[in-house]
Coordinates of all heavy atoms in Angstrom, one line a residue:
P224 N -9.7 -21.6 -11.4 CA -10.3 -20.4 -11.0 C -9.7 -19.2 -11.6 O -8.5 -19.1 -11.9 CB -10.1 -20.5 -9.5 CG -9.9 -21.8 -9.2 CD -9.1 -22.4 -10.4
L226 N -9.3 -15.0 -11.1 CA -9.4 -13.9 -10.3 C -9.1 -12.6 -11.0 O -8.1 -12.4 -11.7 CB -8.3 -13.9 -9.2 CG -8.2 -12.8 -8.1 CD1 -9.3 -12.6 -7.3 CD2 -6.7 -13.0 -7.3
L228 N -8.4 -8.7 -10.4 CA -7.6 -8.0 -9.3 C -7.5 -6.6 -9.8 O -6.7 -6.2 -10.7 CB -6.4 -8.7 -9.0 CG -5.5 -7.9 -8.0 CD1 -6.2 -7.9 -6.6 CD2 -4.1 -8.7 -7.9
V241 N -2.4 -6.3 -0.9 CA -3.1 -7.4 -1.6 C -2.2 -8.3 -2.2 O -2.5 -9.6 -2.3 CB -4.1 -6.8 -2.7 CG1 -3.4 -6.4 -3.9 CG2 -5.2 -7.8 -3.0
G242 N -1.0 -7.9 -2.6 CA -0.1 -8.9 -3.2 C 0.3 -10.2 -2.3 O 0.2 -11.3 -2.9
P243 N 0.6 -10.1 -1.0 CA 0.8 -11.3 -0.2 C -0.5 -12.2 -0.1 O -0.2 -13.5 -0.1 CB 1.2 -10.8 1.2 CG 1.7 -9.4 0.8 CD 0.9 -8.9 -0.3
V244 N -1.6 -11.7 -0.2 CA -2.8 -12.4 -0.1 C -3.1 -13.3 -1.4 O -3.4 -14.4 -1.4 CB -4.0 -11.6 0.3 CG1 -5.4 -12.5 0.2 CG2 -3.9 -10.9 1.7
V245 N -2.8 -12.6 -2.6 CA -3.0 -13.2 -3.8 C -2.0 -14.3 -4.0 O -2.2 -15.4 -4.5 CB -2.8 -12.1 -4.9 CG1 -2.9 -12.9 -6.3 CG2 -4.1 -11.2 -4.9
A246 N -0.7 -14.0 -3.5 CA 0.4 -15.0 -3.6 C -0.1 -16.3 -2.7 O 0.2 -17.4 -3.1 CB 1.7 -14.4 -3.0
A247 N -0.7 -16.0 -1.6 CA -1.2 -17.2 -0.7 C -2.3 -17.9 -1.5 O -2.3 -19.1 -1.4 CB -1.6 -16.7 0.6
L248 N -3.2 -17.2 -2.1 CA -4.2 -17.9 -2.9 C -3.6 -18.9 -3.9 O -4.0 -19.9 -4.2 CB -5.2 -16.9 -3.5 CG -6.2 -16.2 -2.6 CD1 -6.8 -15.0 -3.3 CD2 -7.1 -17.2 -2.1
A249 N -2.5 -18.2 -4.7 CA -1.9 -18.9 -5.8 C -1.3 -20.1 -5.3 O -1.3 -21.2 -5.9 CB -1.1 -18.1 -6.5
A250 N -0.6 -20.1 -4.0 CA 0.0 -21.3 -3.6 C -0.9 -22.4 -3.2 O -0.5 -23.5 -3.2 CB 0.9 -20.8 -2.3
Y251 N -2.2 -22.0 -2.7 CA -3.2 -22.9 -2.4 C -3.8 -23.5 -3.6 O -4.3 -24.6 -3.5 CB -4.0 -22.2 -1.4 CG -5.0 -23.1 -0.6 CD1 -4.6 -23.6 0.6 CD2 -6.2 -23.5 -1.2 CE1 -5.4 -24.5 1.3 CE2 -7.1 -24.3 -0.4 CZ -6.7 -24.8 0.8 OH -7.5 -25.7 1.5
L252 N -3.9 -22.7 -4.6 CA -4.7 -23.1 -5.8 C -3.7 -23.0 -7.1 O -3.6 -22.0 -7.9 CB -5.9 -22.1 -6.1 CG -7.0 -22.0 -5.0 CD1 -8.0 -21.0 -5.3 CD2 -7.7 -23.5 -5.1
P253 N -2.9 -24.0 -7.2 CA -2.0 -23.9 -8.3 C -2.8 -23.8 -9.7 O -3.9 -24.4 -9.8 CB -1.3 -25.3 -8.3 CG -1.5 -25.8 -6.9 CD -2.8 -25.2 -6.3
G254 N -2.3 -22.9 -10.6 CA -3.0 -22.7 -11.7 C -4.0 -21.6 -11.7 O -4.7 -21.3 -12.7
L255 N -4.2 -20.9 -10.5 CA -5.0 -19.8 -10.4 C -4.6 -18.7 -11.6 O -3.5 -18.3 -11.8 CB -4.8 -19.0 -9.1 CG -5.6 -17.8 -8.9 CD1 -7.1 -18.0 -8.7 CD2 -5.1 -17.0 -7.6
V257 N -4.9 -15.0 -13.1 CA -5.1 -13.6 -12.5 C -5.0 -12.6 -13.6 O -4.2 -12.6 -14.4 CB -3.9 -13.4 -11.6 CG1 -4.1 -11.9 -10.8 CG2 -3.9 -14.4 -10.4
P273 N 1.6 -13.8 -8.8 CA 2.0 -15.1 -9.4 C 2.3 -14.9 -10.9 O 1.8 -14.0 -11.6 CB 0.7 -15.9 -9.3 CG -0.1 -15.4 -8.3 CD 0.3 -13.9 -8.2
L329 N -14.0 -14.4 -8.9 CA -14.0 -13.4 -7.8 C -13.4 -12.2 -8.3 O -12.4 -12.1 -9.0 CB -13.1 -14.0 -6.7 CG -12.9 -13.1 -5.6 CD1 -14.2 -12.8 -4.7 CD2 -11.9 -13.7 -4.5
L331 N -11.6 -8.9 -6.8 CA -10.9 -8.4 -5.6 C -10.3 -7.0 -6.0 O -9.6 -6.8 -6.9 CB -9.8 -9.5 -5.3 CG -8.9 -9.0 -4.0 CD1 -9.7 -9.0 -2.7 CD2 -7.8 -10.1 -3.8
L352 N -10.3 -5.1 -0.2 CA -9.3 -5.4 0.7 C -8.4 -4.1 0.9 O -7.8 -3.8 -0.1 CB -8.5 -6.6 0.4 CG -7.5 -7.1 1.4 CD1 -7.2 -8.5 1.2 CD2 -6.3 -6.3 1.6
V567 N -2.5 -12.3 6.4 CA -2.3 -12.9 5.2 C -3.2 -14.2 5.0 O -4.0 -14.4 4.0 CB -0.9 -13.2 4.8 CG1 -0.8 -14.0 3.4 CG2 -0.1 -12.0 4.8
V568 N -2.9 -15.1 6.0 CA -3.7 -16.4 5.9 C -5.1 -16.2 6.1 O -6.0 -16.9 5.5 CB -3.1 -17.4 6.9 CG1 -3.9 -18.6 7.0 CG2 -1.7 -17.8 6.3
A570 N -7.0 -13.6 5.5 CA -7.8 -13.0 4.3 C -7.9 -14.0 3.2 O -8.8 -14.1 2.6 CB -7.0 -11.9 3.9
R571 N -6.8 -14.9 3.1 CA -6.8 -16.0 2.1 C -8.0 -17.0 2.4 O -8.8 -17.3 1.5 CB -5.6 -16.7 2.1 CG -5.5 -17.9 1.1 CD -4.5 -19.0 1.5 NE -5.0 -19.7 2.6 CZ -4.2 -20.6 3.4 NH1 -3.1 -20.9 2.9 NH2 -4.7 -21.2 4.5
D572 N -8.2 -17.2 3.7 CA -9.2 -18.3 4.0 C -10.6 -17.6 3.9 O -11.6 -18.3 3.7 CB -9.0 -18.7 5.5 CG -7.8 -19.7 5.4 OD1 -7.3 -20.1 4.4 OD2 -7.4 -20.0 6.7
M573 N -10.7 -16.3 4.0 CA -12.0 -15.6 3.7 C -12.3 -15.5 2.2 O -13.5 -15.6 1.9 CB -12.0 -14.3 4.4 CG -11.9 -14.1 5.9 SD -11.3 -12.5 6.5 CE -13.0 -11.7 6.5
L574 N -11.4 -15.5 1.5 CA -11.6 -15.5 0.0 C -11.9 -16.7 -0.7 O -12.6 -16.9 -1.7 CB -10.3 -14.7 -0.7 CG -10.0 -13.2 -0.3 CD1 -8.8 -12.7 -0.9 CD2 -11.3 -12.4 -0.7
L575 N -11.2 -17.8 -0.1 CA -11.3 -19.0 -0.9 C -12.6 -19.6 -1.0 O -12.9 -20.0 -2.4 CB -10.5 -20.1 0.0 CG -8.9 -20.2 -0.2 CD1 -8.3 -21.0 0.8 CD2 -8.7 -20.7 -1.6
P576 N -13.6 -19.5 -0.1 CA -15.0 -20.1 -0.5 C -15.7 -19.2 -1.5 O -16.5 -19.7 -2.3 CB -15.8 -19.9 0.9 CG -14.6 -19.8 1.8 CD -13.5 -19.1 1.3
L577 N -15.4 -18.0 -1.7 CA -15.9 -17.1 -2.9 C -15.2 -17.4 -4.1 O -16.0 -17.5 -5.2 CB -15.7 -15.6 -2.4 CG -16.4 -15.3 -1.2 CD1 -16.0 -13.7 -0.9 CD2 -17.9 -15.2 -1.4
L578 N -13.9 -17.7 -4.1 CA -13.3 -18.0 -5.5 C -13.6 -19.4 -6.0 O -13.6 -19.7 -7.2 CB -11.8 -17.9 -5.1 CG -10.8 -17.9 -6.3 CD1 -11.1 -16.8 -7.4 CD2 -9.4 -17.9 -5.8
V579 N -13.8 -20.4 -5.2 CA -14.0 -21.8 -5.6 C -15.4 -22.3 -5.1 O -15.4 -23.5 -4.7 CB -12.9 -22.6 -5.1 CG1 -11.6 -22.2 -5.8 CG2 -12.7 -22.6 -3.6

Side-chain angles (χ1 to χ4, degrees):
L226 174 69
L228 176 62
V241 77
V244 177
V245 174
L248 284 170
Y251 195 88
L252 297 170
L255 175 68
V257 180
L329 174 65
L331 179 60
L352 187 160
V567 176
V568 171
R571 180 204 67 185
D572 290 347
M573 296 167 81
L574 295 175
L575 278 171
L577 297 173
L578 187 59
V579 294

